[in-house]
């Protein structure tokens, strides 16, 4: 059996100026995401918000490469690239937060939410390392990826459109 993982995306936010570069990066990687609100208007280019599964299965290195390409295209976007668990083990979760940047960890199998997977030993190591610090609770939340996951908590359906690139002629 293959170690390929089913690919999913979650898009929570994106600055208007980065929508088109993000869509172009998805196109370059051959992942066009149809917008449920504009599926009858092919001329409308927009980024659907929420969880979108694909038919693709990728190996972990391809998932990391895809994530990095999207992150370069839209560094201020809030999104996740998820490689679901496979026969070879847990899946891969890569999340980008507009202010905090990158977060990377494993993801459990059959989890519809964007929730990282941590072993008991990882959590205990984090607690032991930071328990004496006055900001221990904050450091624990950061180590466990809570701010990254929170950006996906209340995603509504909808889409983000790229600003019009049409130029207007100068007025006399």
């Amino acid at each position: 059996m293959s170690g390929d993982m089913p690919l999913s995306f979650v898009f929570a936010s994106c600055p208007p100026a980065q929508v088109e570069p993000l869509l172009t990066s998805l196109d370059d990687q051959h992942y066009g995401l149809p917008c449920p609100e504009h599926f009858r208007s092919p001329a409308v280019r927009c980024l659907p918000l929420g969880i979108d599964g694909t038919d693709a299965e990728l190996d972990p290195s391809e998932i990391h490469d895809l994530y990095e390409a999207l992150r370069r295209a839209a560094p201020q976007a809030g999104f996740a690239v998820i490689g679901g668990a496979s026969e070879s083990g847990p899946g891969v979760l890569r999340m980008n937060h507009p202010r905090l940047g990158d977060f990377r960890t494993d993801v459990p199998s059959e989890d519809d939410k964007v929730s990282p997977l941590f072993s008991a030993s990882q959590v205990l190591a984090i607690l032991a390392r930071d328990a004496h610090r006055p900001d221990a609770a904050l450091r624990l939340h950061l180590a466990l990826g809570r701010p990254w996951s929170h950006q996906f908590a209340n995603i509504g359906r909808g889409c983000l459109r790229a600003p019009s690139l049409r130029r207007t002629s100068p007025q006399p």
Side-chain angles (χ1 to χ4, degrees):
M1 286 276 163
S2 159
D4 286 353
M5 302 173 169
L7 175 66
S8 296
F9 298 100
V10 183
F11 293 101
S13 64
C14 187
Q18 292 181 14
V19 171
E20 186 60 36
L22 184 59
L23 290 170
T24 299
S25 183
L26 285 165
D27 290 344
D28 290 348
Q29 303 286 328
H30 308 289
Y31 298 106
L33 298 175
C35 176
E37 294 189 21
H38 297 106
F39 68 95
R40 292 194 176 135
S41 305
V44 175
R45 283 201 27 107
C46 57
L47 178 67
L49 298 177
I51 298 174
D52 282 299
T54 70
D55 293 333
E57 291 193 1
L58 304 175
D59 71 51
S61 66
E62 292 173 312
I63 290 169
H64 294 298
D65 292 345
L66 174 59
Y67 169 82
E68 291 298 336
L70 297 178
R71 190 165 177 232
R72 280 189 302 275
Q76 296 302 308
F79 68 93
V81 176
I82 306 163
S86 67
E87 296 87 11
S88 63
V92 172
L93 174 62
R94 297 292 302 268
M95 296 186 287
N96 191 61
H97 187 281
R99 288 187 314 266
L100 298 173
D102 179 45
F103 188 82
R104 172 183 179 171
T105 191
D106 293 335
V107 65
S109 61
E110 304 198 18
D111 189 354
D112 292 333
K113 298 179 189 152
V114 182
S115 59
L117 174 68
F118 295 95
S119 68
S121 61
Q122 288 173 310
V123 173
L124 290 173
I126 294 166
L127 289 172
R129 181 190 71 208
D130 295 333
H132 67 284
R133 299 178 61 108
D135 60 348
L138 172 63
R139 293 174 63 84
L140 178 63
H141 280 281
L142 289 171
L144 296 179
R146 299 296 292 162
W148 287 263
S149 296
H150 281 302
Q151 71 182 326
F152 305 115
N154 296 312
I155 301 175
R157 292 307 291 178
C159 62
L160 298 171
R161 295 173 83 174
S164 174
L165 300 177
R166 283 181 272 133
R167 294 180 187 256
T168 57
S169 56
Q171 299 298 319

